[in-house]
Amino acid sequence: MISFEQSIAAAVAKTDTFSEEEVLQLLTIPQETTHGNFSLPCFALAKKMRLAPKIIAETLATKIELPQGISKVEPVNGYLNFFIERSFLASSVLTHIEEKGLSYGHASPNHKTVIIDYSSPNIGKELAFHHLRSTMIGNSLSRIYKANGYHVERINHLGDWGTAFGKLIVMYLREGRSLEDDVLENLTVKELNILYGSFSKISKEYPELENEARAAFTRLEEGDSLYRKLWSAFKNATLKELLRIYSMMGVSFDHYTGESFFEDKIPAVLDELREKNLLIKSQELDVVMLDDFDLPPCLIRKSDGSTLYATRDLAAALYRKKEYQFSKCLYVVDLGQSLHFKQVFHVLKKMNYDWYQEMVHIPFGVILQQTEEGKWEKGKTRSGTASLLRDVIEAAKEKILSFINEKNPDLENKEEIATQIGISALTFNDLKNRRLMDVKFDWDSALSFDGATGPYVQNAHVRLCSIMRKAGYTSKMEDVSWDTLTDDAAYELIKVLSRKGSTIAKACETDEPSMLAQYALEIAEAAHRFIHQDRVLGSAEEKSRLFLVQSTQIVLENVLDLLGLFPIRQM
Ligand code: ARG
């Protein structure tokens, strides 16, 4: 199907002024409805044609042959505004949705691979509330990239290697815990969390424990069988809980290649760094100097021979490039790690890999919560509760459940639906603003059914579904009379639906799920207005309007899905 933009571009190109490509680049969608559906600024031509933009727009208006579906053009102050015929817009947009279904607005495959490294928590600890950000931004980006034509590899780069494991091992042995297989198999991440906490406390009194932990990690790296056994039990205990939470959140990965996966790939990286004369001894450490980029040295190896976070990220980058030939590799990790990624990317540059430019750190702001005094602070909650992600999810679910019990106590599967609304509410609250902004979290505004919230957009979807259910039949395109879908409310809604493809593309180009979140709000608002103003069931235009309801539901369902929200049908 040819888009309006394309047919406008072709029509303008025939006037020998702009080329088709120029028109496609310049064409904008005006804010004001009175300025039409598309607007072509003529300023860029003024120099070339030695004419005022106003004159150019006026001349174009008289010369252009209106393409099908465009009802008029109007020159205004150097812009040429195009007005789409409403019934034509309705038929072209809704036909397209009917044809493509949920994938309406998706791009065709571009045969490029993008790697998305997200969530990637440290093993041995429970997921904290702040892990929601990387997890849900990454989850949404992976869906958006896929919809925009990419092949996506979703990677969880688990923090399953490093001194932290030395600490856990030291503490486990110190407490004289059982080494029996069945005890190790039944370890929980909760116990590990406590163990970790005890280490922090006790090591304040006995600082030598820190050295013991480092030595224990070295022993683990050297392959000691007992230490390996403990490490693997710790990892399994954490993974079990991790998978439970991911599945509840609707999040999944193609690979769980954590830091330990790169252990045997590190010697080759060290050799390569040495061959390229990049490895330098500095105070007992092996480093790569990065002063030519105004960056501190990148630490590669400690004096005891153990490797570091950056070393494993280097090995991972080289492995990913070789394994997947990515055209882009995204790291969805908080802003605090910017320096780390700059260093890793620049070491790759020094290694002469020009694909270092394809590596992108996707940073984001922190979650802020209000203190008793009403100040917004990082990582503190009003009553000191709910800093574990599972507790926050549970609390969100309980709050929604009590709401359901009040309004719709007979709802089937209400526990599950409450969990899905709760998780979606937390997610939407995280995704609705540009990712670099800090997220202000407060229960009342995140869980509200009004305003820019998850429940609000989900509720719009539920209402569309409920109209379809009440109608009891599916409206067919043959039954639709396009002329009945031209009043303001229907027209505004259809205009919003027509922007799905360009919104996905923009969200993908800028790595901003927020663009899609704002778009979901626009759909919800336009849908609410349409349902309010144009009675659907029982009206003379029922079949046509129901068709618009169905089309809107399809678009909204997919947009919710791209955001990682649950498109529930009943609440
Ligand atoms: N495990 C790290 C942390 O919790 C995040 C890992 C991000 N990904 C990476 N390839 N470095 O801080």
Side-chain angles (χ1 to χ4, degrees):
M1 194 185 117
I2 295 182
S3 68
F4 285 107
E5 287 96 325
Q6 283 164 325
S7 51
I8 290 173
V12 174
K14 276 200 205 134
T15 64
D16 290 327
T17 46
F18 290 103
S19 69
E20 283 194 34
E21 294 74 48
E22 283 170 329
V23 179
L24 287 175
Q25 277 208 336
L26 290 171
L27 221 48
T28 60
I29 297 175
Q31 298 281 332
E32 303 269 339
T33 323
T34 54
H35 291 165
N37 302 84
F38 293 102
S39 183
L40 178 67
C42 298
F43 306 90
L45 264 192
K47 226 178 179 171
K48 193 164 106 190
M49 300 181 65
R50 294 166 182 270
L51 281 173
K54 186 165 176 287
I55 308 282
I56 300 176
E58 283 164 4
T59 322
L60 260 177
T62 58
K63 279 217 234 157
I64 195 168
E65 225 176 280
L66 294 188
Q68 197 196 9
I70 300 291
S71 54
K72 64 169 180 176
V73 286
E74 213 172 60
V76 179
N77 297 329
Y79 289 88
L80 187 61
N81 298 333
F82 295 83
F83 293 78
I84 298 179
E85 210 177 288
R86 292 185 175 195
S87 63
F88 189 81
L89 179 74
S91 82
S92 79
V93 172
L94 301 193
T95 307
H96 206 174
I97 297 173
E98 160 91 1
E99 247 169 56
K100 300 281 179 181
L102 293 171
S103 57
Y104 161 72
H106 292 198
S108 35
N110 61 17
H111 309 291
K112 289 185 192 158
T113 294
V114 61
I115 306 277
I116 311 189
D117 174 330
Y118 62 104
S119 198
S120 306
N122 292 334
I123 291 290
K125 291 187 193 160
E126 295 207 66
L127 283 187
F129 186 22
H130 69 82
H131 284 113
L132 184 70
R133 294 227 72 196
S134 169
T135 308
M136 293 325 262
I137 294 172
N139 179 51
S140 175
L141 283 179
S142 69
R143 291 159 191 249
I144 291 171
Y145 269 84
K146 197 156 173 245
N148 205 30
Y150 285 83
H151 170 76
V152 180
E153 297 284 347
R154 301 163 302 170
I155 298 187
N156 196 326
H157 187 78
L158 295 169
D160 59 0
W161 208 235
T163 328
F165 291 95
K167 295 183 183 177
L168 286 175
I169 292 173
V170 165
M171 212 52 217
Y172 195 87
L173 295 175
R174 194 183 159 95
E175 291 191 355
R177 299 209 184 195
S178 163
L179 302 174
E180 297 293 325
D181 285 346
D182 57 331
V183 174
L184 288 176
E185 265 161 38
N186 290 315
L187 262 182
T188 63
V189 64
K190 220 174 177 171
E191 291 171 79
L192 297 179
N193 242 14
I194 297 173
L195 216 55
Y196 205 87
S198 321
F199 181 91
S200 304
K201 220 191 278 153
I202 300 180
S203 63
K204 282 205 185 86
E205 212 177 314
Y206 303 100
E208 65 272 19
L209 277 188
E210 295 282 353
N211 286 336
E212 268 181 51
R214 269 190 288 274
F217 177 56
T218 309
R219 205 161 142 188
L220 176 66
E221 278 195 305
E222 286 164 1
D224 180 282
S225 66
L226 172 64
Y227 282 27
R228 291 268 161 159
K229 185 168 148 180
L230 288 173
W231 168 78
S232 127
F234 298 161
K235 180 167 169 176
N236 287 338
T238 319
L239 268 182
K240 239 187 273 164
E241 170 67 0
L242 210 53
L243 291 177
R244 185 186 74 85
I245 295 189
Y246 286 152
S247 110
M248 195 159 69
M249 300 205 302
V251 169
S252 45
F253 294 88
D254 302 303
H255 313 280
Y256 281 87
T257 37
E259 295 187 41
S260 68
F261 178 78
F262 297 98
E263 204 203 337
D264 61 353
K265 298 168 185 64
I266 283 188
V269 178
L270 297 177
D271 286 347
E272 190 178 335
L273 286 171
R274 251 181 242 117
E275 262 160 44
K276 295 188 171 165
N277 280 327
L278 296 173
L279 215 53
I280 286 179
K281 267 251 177 306
S282 159
Q283 298 168 358
E284 295 295 297
L285 301 167
D286 287 324
V287 305
V288 175
M289 298 305 286
L290 296 171
D291 34 359
D292 18 349
F293 307 110
D294 270 337
L295 293 170
C298 183
L299 311 186
I300 302 291
R301 214 159 70 128
K302 294 199 243 176
S303 51
D304 60 7
S306 56
T307 56
L308 291 125
Y309 183 45
T311 328
R312 295 188 280 275
D313 254 330
L314 274 177
L318 292 164
Y319 172 82
R320 290 172 186 177
K321 186 67 191 179
K322 198 161 143 231
E323 193 72 14
Y324 309 112
Q325 279 100 39
F326 59 74
S327 65
K328 231 175 169 186
C329 177
L330 309 184
Y331 295 84
V332 187
V333 185
D334 69 62
L335 189 60
Q337 295 197 24
S338 292
L339 176 61
H340 163 76
F341 287 109
K342 268 194 205 135
Q343 289 178 306
V344 171
F345 301 167
H346 280 88
V347 172
L348 290 168
K349 181 179 162 111
K350 289 198 97 163
M351 292 171 90
N352 280 329
Y353 290 119
D354 49 7
W355 49 263
Y356 84 95
Q357 299 179 66
E358 297 157 3
M359 321 282 284
V360 195
H361 177 205
I362 308 288
F364 49 81
V366 298
I367 298 183
L368 301 175
Q369 286 168 295
Q370 231 168 2
T371 60
E372 306 281 351
E373 300 81 44
K375 267 202 291 189
W376 291 97
E377 276 183 14
K378 185 181 159 182
K380 286 205 189 118
T381 54
R382 208 178 265 276
S383 49
T385 54
S387 65
L388 294 182
L389 185 52
R390 64 175 162 84
D391 292 340
V392 180
I393 292 176
E394 186 59 27
K397 172 199 150 184
E398 285 305 325
K399 283 173 200 275
I400 298 287
L401 192 59
S402 71
F403 181 83
I404 293 178
N405 280 334
E406 192 183 304
K407 302 269 176 188
N408 189 6
D410 301 327
L411 181 69
E412 261 180 68
N413 299 332
K414 54 185 177 183
E415 294 269 335
E416 190 188 340
I417 291 180
T419 308
Q420 295 184 337
I421 300 177
I423 290 175
S424 301
L426 299 171
T427 303
F428 195 85
N429 191 63
D430 251 37
L431 299 185
K432 71 177 174 186
N433 294 316
R434 294 191 157 263
R435 62 181 150 73
L436 269 172
M437 286 175 60
D438 291 341
V439 172
K440 288 186 173 169
F441 178 78
D442 103 78
W443 285 109
D444 296 337
S445 45
L447 297 186
S448 162
F449 281 77
D450 296 311
T453 68
Y456 172 74
V457 286
Q458 278 178 315
N459 188 34
H461 185 254
V462 165
R463 285 188 65 187
L464 296 167
C465 290
S466 119
I467 294 174
M468 286 155 60
R469 234 183 352 259
K470 280 189 194 135
Y473 70 100
T474 309
S475 171
K476 299 267 179 328
M477 205 155 72
E478 307 87 84
D479 303 333
V480 179
S481 128
W482 303 115
D483 288 335
T484 60
L485 296 177
T486 53
D487 62 282
D488 287 350
Y491 171 64
E492 291 300 332
L493 174 57
I494 295 169
K495 247 178 29 180
V496 173
L497 300 184
S498 77
R499 293 196 345 254
K500 186 182 173 207
S502 59
T503 309
I504 293 176
K506 259 188 273 161
C508 185
E509 277 154 25
T510 54
D511 298 308
E512 275 292 355
S514 62
M515 296 208 169
L516 217 58
Q518 294 300 326
Y519 181 60
L521 286 172
E522 281 182 60
I523 301 175
E525 270 154 31
H528 276 309
R529 233 174 287 130
F530 170 69
I531 297 169
H532 257 269
Q533 276 168 33
D534 296 352
R535 189 157 56 89
V536 179
L537 301 180
S539 69
E541 299 84 2
E542 174 171 311
K543 286 185 175 156
S544 301
R545 289 181 178 166
L546 186 63
F547 193 73
L548 177 53
V549 165
Q550 289 168 191
S551 310
T552 308
Q553 181 273 319
I554 293 172
V555 172
L556 188 53
E557 174 176 344
N558 184 242
V559 169
L560 293 178
D561 187 61
L562 292 176
L563 287 165
L565 308 185
F566 293 92
I568 52 177
R569 291 172 188 272
Q570 260 178 309
M571 62 167 64

